[in-house]
Each structure stands twice: as C-alpha cells, then as structure tokens.
Amino acid sequence: MFSVVIPLYNKASYVEKAVESVLCQTFSDFELIVVNDGSTDSSVEKLARFTDDRLKLINQSNTGVSGARNKGVKHARFDYIAFLDADDWWHERFLEEMNALITQFSDAGLYGSNYFVVKNGVNTPAQVGVEAGFEMGYINYFKVYARTFWVPLNCSFVVVKKSVFEQEKGFNEHLRFGEDLDLWIRIALTHKVGYVNKFLANSNQDAETTNRALGTDKFWNKKEHVTFNISHLADQEQTQPNLKTLLDGLRVRSLVAYRLNDWYPEEVRAIMSRVDLSAQPLFYRFVYQWPRPIINVYFRAKQYGSYLKQMLLRRFYSYVHAR
C-alpha cells in the first residue's frame, strides 16, 4: 500500500525516533526506504539496531534532500508514497488515517493531515486554514494555505500517489528552499487534494538549524530558492485568485532577509512590482516600501530590545532564586 521514504543526512540525534514512529504504525502494509544521502555522522550506525525486514537502507553520495527523496521513490514498490523527514515523527495512526482518507477520497493525487509544531519540547497545534468544523475531504490547497500561511502540507505529513509523482517528475533537484512547495503547487493545479483534520505528525523545530532549510541566517542562491523560480505560474495566477493570493503572501514573507541584506536587489524589486502590497499586512508594506536604512535600524532596535528583555529576565530570576 505505502512506500515510506525518509531522506537522511546527518540526523543521528533524531533518526531513530523517526524510524520507530514508522515501524510502530497500526497500519502495517508498508515498506520503509531510508536514503542515506552521504551522512558524515553516526546516522547510519543508529539504524543498525532495527531488524524489521520492511526497512531498506539505500546509500548514495550527497545530492541534497530532493535527490534523496527522488531516489527513494524510484525504489518504491507501492502505489502511494509517504514522506517523512529524519528529524520528525508520526502519530502511530498516521498511515491508518491516510488509508481511510484515500479509500473515501480516491480521486485525489495528494493527501495530508494536520500536525503539531514542536518547539522547546512543547507541542503546538498548527493553525492550518481549513474551515471550522472541517474533518475530512477535499480542500482547495491554495485557499487553505493562504488563509493562515501555516503550511497544510510538507514532507513529513503528506502522501502522494506514485503515478502523479512520476507524472510531475518528482522534486526539482535544483531547488534547496521550497522544493516541496513547488511540487505541491504543480500537483494541486491538476489534481484534487485530500485532507484529514487530525494531528497525526510532529514537525520538530528543535532540530539543529544547520540541518534545516529554514533560518534567519539562511540565504539561498536565487537558482535554489523557489520564490525566484515561479514566474512560469504567471498565467495560472491570472485565472486563479487563490493561487495569486498565496504566491504574493509567500513572496513578501520569504524575501524579507533578501530585502534587509540587499541580496539580489533588482530581482527582489522585480518580484515585488508584481505584488499588490496594499493587500499585504502592514509589517510587509513597511519592509518593502520604506528606505532600507530605516528598516535596518528598526530591526536592530528590535533585536537589541529582545536581548535586553532576556538579560533583565535572567537577572530577575537570579535575584528571586538568591532570596
């Protein structure tokens, strides 16, 4: 039924929990393919204790997460591909619920569930923009995403029909930021998306930032960043308002660091010229319309204020404990 694909690169601290969450699923008709993408830590050694014959390890030189996922799908035997990152984990009923969703809504090419965000060890329910009272069914991916800008799908709580994945030629291996968004958009433009509004996965934000695509210190080459590579969707944006709303919102959110640091200024200005900033939150209008020196002063002051607040809190707690 399911081929589960885990791309693995230097996740020794987390991969055991990810694998355990798959092998402990209540739905047992699956294979688990771990693609070791040239790890240099003890990630592979951590897998040695697992003897379940449903687990298959594939080793390759480092190609990036998209190449690892694509390699896993090439080795998949089943009709549905479930992805899981090596630092995240599933609820034990994830595959069971996905099977029920697929059975009831078989016309979709892409499926997902709600999830928890794990930060500082605390589970916070994701605020995915489904309608109040929604339980299970088809969703408008663009509308749901744009309603709250909490991702409704990512590579740890998604199932893709293998034939659809192959039709779309998988993940774009040139992208290193937003490669999953790129694929979900391509699929959602031509296929239905099924969704179950249950919290069935955990997105681990406590993983080392050096091992994650997101971060305030991460700057991707424009050839690797999805926002610089979606101009081909211009025609669809004109005919699909929900797609336009989503992409404009993602443009202003994903390019803030580029604006502050004057990275690719001409390209950023060209992208923003296609965005109706009056429809964006006040913060983003400030970032993209005010002079950059003023914006940087604001962010430095905000950063200093945060530092000062933390310092005062530490001193306060030290004073309280000393009494």
Side-chain angles (χ1 to χ4, degrees):
M1 179 68 184
F2 294 103
S3 292
V4 181
V5 174
I6 297 180
L8 175 60
Y9 179 73
N10 290 355
K11 299 289 180 69
S13 299
Y14 309 100
V15 65
E16 289 178 282
K17 186 169 187 175
V19 169
E20 285 174 349
S21 77
V22 177
L23 297 179
C24 292
Q25 289 292 299
T26 56
F27 186 90
S28 59
D29 187 11
F30 66 84
E31 63 175 349
L32 172 56
I33 302 169
V34 177
V35 181
N36 173 39
D37 192 35
S39 294
T40 58
D41 65 358
S42 60
S43 292
V44 174
E45 287 79 359
K46 295 287 185 178
L47 300 178
R49 71 178 182 86
F50 295 104
T51 59
D52 195 306
D53 59 10
R54 292 172 297 182
L55 170 60
K56 177 166 62 176
L57 175 65
I58 297 172
N59 292 296
Q60 66 174 27
S61 300
N62 182 259
T63 64
V65 67
S66 293
R69 291 181 184 130
N70 288 342
K71 172 65 75 69
V73 175
K74 288 179 181 178
H75 286 263
R77 296 187 294 114
F78 294 117
D79 293 334
Y80 289 91
I81 311 298
F83 292 103
L84 176 64
D85 283 347
D87 51 10
D88 297 332
W89 62 94
W90 285 341
H91 185 281
E92 64 181 6
R93 290 175 56 87
F94 178 80
L95 290 181
E96 183 176 338
E97 295 287 352
M98 289 296 104
N99 180 58
L101 182 63
I102 291 168
T103 300
Q104 192 167 345
F105 301 94
S106 58
D107 289 341
L110 185 62
Y111 300 88
S113 78
N114 216 326
Y115 59 100
F116 290 108
V117 172
V118 182
K119 183 71 173 177
N120 297 322
V122 177
N123 285 13
T124 301
Q127 304 299 309
V128 174
V130 293
E131 298 284 354
F134 177 88
E135 295 182 356
M136 176 188 290
Y138 297 118
I139 62 169
N140 182 318
Y141 170 73
F142 310 127
K143 185 176 182 179
V144 167
Y145 196 167
R147 185 173 286 134
T148 62
F149 284 95
W150 282 72
V151 295
L153 303 171
N154 91 348
C155 283
S156 285
F157 36 90
V158 69
V159 172
V160 187
K161 191 176 291 186
K162 185 181 180 184
S163 60
V164 172
F165 184 92
E166 292 172 336
Q167 175 186 322
E168 294 296 334
K169 297 181 171 55
F171 293 99
N172 181 343
E173 296 185 20
H174 296 293
L175 296 177
R176 297 183 64 196
F177 178 87
E179 73 287 339
D180 53 347
L181 171 67
D182 170 73
L183 180 57
W184 310 153
I185 288 176
R186 284 187 275 132
I187 294 175
L189 282 170
T190 55
H191 295 82
K192 294 179 180 179
V193 178
Y195 200 79
V196 57
N197 192 23
K198 294 182 180 180
F199 297 91
L200 300 173
N202 298 275
S203 179
N204 180 18
Q205 302 302 303
D206 287 333
E208 297 97 329
T209 55
T210 54
N211 279 343
R212 301 192 70 85
L214 293 174
T216 56
D217 59 340
K218 291 295 181 72
F219 295 88
W220 302 108
N221 182 289
K222 63 183 179 181
K223 294 180 180 179
E224 302 172 333
H225 193 303
V226 67
T227 306
F228 293 97
N229 294 279
I230 52 177
S231 59
H232 62 282
L233 296 173
D235 290 342
Q236 289 93 331
E237 287 186 70
Q238 298 306 311
T239 59
Q240 299 199 37
N242 289 317
L243 175 61
K244 170 67 173 173
T245 300
L246 172 62
L247 293 182
D248 280 354
L250 293 174
R251 286 171 176 127
V252 299
R253 286 163 172 79
S254 66
L255 295 180
V256 169
Y258 289 77
R259 164 70 169 151
L260 296 180
N261 292 278
D262 208 27
W263 256 49
Y264 302 125
E266 293 182 8
E267 290 87 343
V268 170
R269 280 194 294 270
I271 290 171
M272 288 304 138
S273 70
R274 300 194 294 269
V275 175
D276 179 9
L277 286 173
S278 67
Q280 301 302 319
L282 180 62
F283 170 78
Y284 297 107
R285 281 182 269 163
F286 165 67
V287 167
Y288 292 103
Q289 292 180 327
W290 282 58
R292 199 166 59 85
I294 295 177
I295 299 167
N296 280 323
V297 168
Y298 164 79
F299 275 93
R300 282 197 295 269
K302 185 177 180 181
Q303 185 178 30
Y304 178 75
S306 177
Y307 168 78
L308 184 62
K309 178 182 176 181
Q310 294 300 319
M311 182 181 69
L312 291 174
L313 283 173
R314 284 195 296 269
R315 290 189 177 183
F316 172 75
Y317 289 133
S318 297
Y319 171 76
V320 170
H321 290 306
R323 295 192 65 180

